[in-house]
Amino acid sequence: MKDMFCFQCEQTAKGTGCEVSGVCGKTPVVAGDQDKLVGACIGLAKAVQKTAATEATDACIKKALFTTVTNVSFDDESIKAMVACVDKMKADLDPTAEDYDMAQLWDDNEDIRSLKTLILLGIKGVAAYAHHAEILGYKDADVDAFFYQALAAVGSDLGMDTLLPLVLKTGEINLKVMALLDKANTETYGTPVPTEVPLTIEKGPFIIITGHDLHDLKLLLEQTEGKGINIYTHGEMLPAHAYPELKKHAHLKGNFGTAWQNQQKEFADVPAPVLFTTNCIMPVKESYSDRIFTTDVVQYPGMIHVGKEKDFAPVIAKALELGGYPEDKAMTGINGGTKVLTGFGRGTVLGVADKVIDAVKAGAIKHFFLVGGCDGAKPGRNYYTDFVKQTPDDTVVLTLACGKYRFNDLDLGTIGGLPRLMDMGQCNDAYSAIMVAVALAEAFDCGVNELPLSMVLSWYEQKAVCILLTLLHLGIKNILLGPSLPAFVSPNVLNVLVENYNIGPISTPEADMAKCLGQA
């Protein structure tokens, strides 16, 4: 009997699955209770299909699925409480409904397991984006309905012919929810504008905020106004600097550190608290455990959790107590840069689309690269730094998500009045990249696959999975994926993806560059 089984992230043990303990740090107990939570959600989904959904069941499903995303929650007690809550909802709707035993999925035929896992991990990512949108008051009935359909399918005896369309439907629904979240963010905080973000930390008290939730950042900015505390983003919070409604807070100063997987080293000696709003939290080291605070879905045993009231007074008190650095502290990105740019979302890029199109027609821009996705600690990710360094001067590099930290402090110069390297935002801002690609295809009267555009993607967790499914739903081909292919994709399912979409693994920067530019 295995202690656990989990293969949902890129760093899974031996490239096949964690069976003793999680590489991410989760214990077999936490992994088992996360499986129970998903099984309870499948039971609730089947009960809803017999009766009717409610706002409570909609919100519960999203939060539960988000909780099981890699590096979100390591707190067994809160997961157990959520299982009990889901079970009560299920029993209230249908007393005869039963939870699904996830062992049935892990022990299933590998192709069926592969397709069901693609659906399950995909909707975990969709749930994360939908949860963020719902916090801002934005919902979509079709998205909520699909969670029940997808979960019920995972817990049912279905064949490949039924499951494969549901895999692509997951990508379609994710496109819808990314559009919803894009609307929620821009209508709430304004359209992102290009912004230079310093990496130096100014002297005095400060708070580091990490994760993805802009709403939490807004509340923290409001609660620290006039208190002499500076706020620094970390990880996927970096793009917050580009939103007008957040930029207007003068004490939103800059960005701290690099990508999420470096936190155990970078947080060790920081005289300031860190607020985790969502993933990705790693096992907390004793050297900084007294300075970690969590809120919403992210939880870690022993850390102070800020509940629904969103009163960040304990975080503020800790910042004032620690006092920050006595003098300004210069910090750099991994390539030595002292600042980074962000804010090149679709509003900015499409706002100068005529110049971009003219530059392509004139031969000034020869190729576009989308190099982005999740970062991680597994060896092989320097590939993305080397790849971007090798992009020719007459090309544009679009990037998004935390994978950009491998190269976002590089100065690649400008082209047509725009920087050659443009950060389009968080992982959910993949919608911006897709809309830019669609607009360019329309301008040149061709399909996206006919554009001089190459997608070189890195993945780590489930939000990257749902974005990949969206690209497949849109029929986008020739994607290079790394640093390794997902362990949950069986050889037969991989063959389907290769035959239909020509998806393939990264090789070397030199070989892949030649391939992308048609020189191989």
Side-chain angles (χ1 to χ4, degrees):
M1 180 73 177
K2 297 174 183 176
D3 290 330
M4 64 179 284
F5 181 74
C6 182
F7 59 176
Q8 69 178 11
C9 84
E10 190 271 334
Q11 292 180 178
T12 195
K14 300 178 182 178
T16 56
C18 294
E19 299 182 0
V20 178
S21 63
V23 171
C24 67
K26 69 182 176 184
T27 64
V29 173
V30 170
D33 282 327
Q34 287 186 354
D35 273 0
K36 288 177 184 176
L37 181 54
V38 174
C41 286
I42 290 173
L44 176 59
K46 290 184 177 182
V48 163
Q49 288 188 323
K50 287 184 180 180
T51 54
T54 66
E55 286 191 5
T57 60
D58 289 348
C60 179
I61 286 286
K62 288 192 279 281
K63 186 174 182 179
L65 288 172
F66 194 177
T67 295
T68 66
V69 169
T70 306
N71 291 96
V72 170
S73 179
F74 292 85
D75 186 58
D76 186 49
E77 293 305 313
S78 64
I79 297 171
K80 280 185 167 71
M82 195 171 291
V83 172
C85 181
V86 174
D87 278 340
K88 185 179 185 307
M89 282 188 175
K90 175 182 57 106
D92 288 345
L93 289 175
D94 180 7
T96 66
E98 296 182 356
D99 290 351
Y100 178 75
D101 182 356
M102 293 297 289
Q104 295 181 61
L105 175 58
W106 308 141
D107 294 334
D108 209 338
N109 167 277
E110 67 170 359
D111 294 331
I112 297 297
R113 181 180 71 175
S114 182
L115 292 174
K116 286 186 175 182
T117 303
L118 277 168
I119 295 166
L120 177 59
L121 303 190
I123 61 172
K124 287 186 179 187
V126 176
Y129 298 143
H131 179 77
H132 286 306
E134 186 170 12
I135 287 171
L136 298 177
Y138 291 73
K139 288 184 63 175
D140 186 298
D142 290 341
V143 173
D144 287 330
F146 183 72
F147 287 122
Y148 304 115
Q149 180 188 1
L151 283 166
V154 171
S156 300
D157 185 16
L158 301 174
M160 291 186 67
D161 290 345
T162 305
L163 291 171
L164 189 55
L166 272 178
V167 169
L168 297 179
K169 181 72 178 292
T170 305
E172 177 186 354
I173 292 296
N174 187 57
L175 179 62
K176 184 176 288 241
V177 83
M178 285 196 300
L180 182 71
L181 182 54
D182 178 86
K183 180 180 181 182
N185 284 337
T186 54
E187 290 187 354
T188 304
Y189 306 114
T191 299
V193 295
T195 303
E196 185 179 280
V197 183
L199 302 182
T200 294
I201 310 301
E202 296 182 15
K203 67 179 181 180
F206 66 98
I207 296 170
I208 300 167
I209 183 168
T210 188
H212 302 72
D213 201 295
L214 301 180
H215 180 63
D216 284 334
L217 172 57
K218 176 68 172 172
L219 294 176
L220 182 65
L221 288 167
E222 291 172 349
Q223 291 179 36
T224 51
E225 196 77 54
K227 288 185 167 62
I229 299 173
N230 290 329
I231 307 299
Y232 291 86
T233 56
H234 172 266
E236 281 277 64
M237 276 293 192
L238 168 62
H241 291 273
Y243 287 93
E245 285 301 305
L246 300 175
K247 283 170 64 72
K248 70 182 184 182
H249 293 274
H251 60 303
L252 178 60
K253 288 287 186 177
N255 192 68
F256 177 92
T258 54
W260 69 274
Q261 77 277 0
N262 299 322
Q263 64 189 258
Q264 291 176 324
K265 177 181 178 181
E266 293 180 345
F267 291 166
D269 301 309
V270 179
V274 182
L275 175 63
F276 279 86
T277 66
T278 54
N279 60 321
C280 299
I281 190 170
M282 296 175 73
V284 178
K285 299 289 188 181
E286 186 176 349
S287 60
Y288 59 90
S289 61
D290 63 324
R291 292 176 270 123
I292 297 298
F293 297 81
T294 63
T295 191
D296 202 9
V297 293
V298 62
Q299 295 202 45
Y300 195 88
M303 302 301 105
I304 295 175
H305 186 74
V306 178
K308 292 180 181 179
E309 73 284 355
K310 297 293 181 180
D311 180 0
F312 295 120
V315 190
I316 293 169
K318 179 61 73 171
L320 293 172
E321 173 196 331
L322 294 171
Y325 294 112
E327 301 294 337
D328 291 359
K329 185 175 179 62
M331 300 181 72
T332 67
I334 67 169
N335 300 290
T338 58
K339 60 188 178 184
V340 292
L341 286 171
T342 191
F344 292 90
R346 64 189 177 95
T348 295
V349 178
L350 294 181
V352 294
D354 55 339
K355 295 179 181 178
V356 174
I357 292 165
D358 288 345
V360 174
K361 289 180 177 177
I365 297 178
K366 294 279 179 43
H367 205 86
F368 297 88
F369 296 96
L370 175 60
V371 187
C374 308
D375 205 353
K378 191 174 180 180
R381 290 180 179 267
N382 288 340
Y383 163 96
Y384 297 94
T385 310
D386 296 338
F387 185 93
V388 169
K389 285 181 177 179
Q390 292 180 28
T391 55
D393 291 342
D394 55 3
T395 64
V396 171
V397 180
L398 304 174
T399 189
L400 47 80
C402 60
K404 62 176 168 274
Y405 279 99
R406 293 280 169 174
F407 49 78
N408 69 335
D409 63 323
L410 292 171
D411 183 0
L412 298 185
T414 61
I415 187 168
L418 291 169
R420 282 191 53 233
L421 175 58
M422 291 186 275
D423 174 19
M424 308 191 81
Q426 296 181 339
C427 53
N428 49 284
D429 293 314
Y431 180 74
S432 272
I434 290 169
M435 289 300 99
V436 167
V438 169
L440 288 174
E442 290 176 353
F444 289 105
D445 193 25
C446 67
V448 172
N449 292 315
E450 298 170 278
L451 287 171
L453 168 67
S454 300
M455 296 192 181
V456 185
L457 307 181
S458 55
W459 80 281
Y460 174 75
E461 42 89 315
Q462 295 78 71
K463 286 182 284 182
V465 174
C466 65
I467 291 171
L468 177 62
L469 297 183
T470 293
L471 297 175
L472 299 183
H473 155 70
L474 292 170
I476 294 175
K477 299 182 178 181
N478 305 314
I479 297 168
L480 289 172
L481 185 65
S484 61
L485 294 179
F488 49 80
V489 176
S490 69
N492 286 336
V493 171
L494 179 61
N495 285 339
V496 172
L497 298 181
V498 171
E499 289 173 5
N500 288 280
Y501 303 100
N502 200 32
I503 192 170
I506 58 172
S507 57
T508 66
E510 295 78 11
D512 290 343
M513 183 65 67
K515 181 178 179 181
C516 291
L517 296 176
Q519 299 169 352

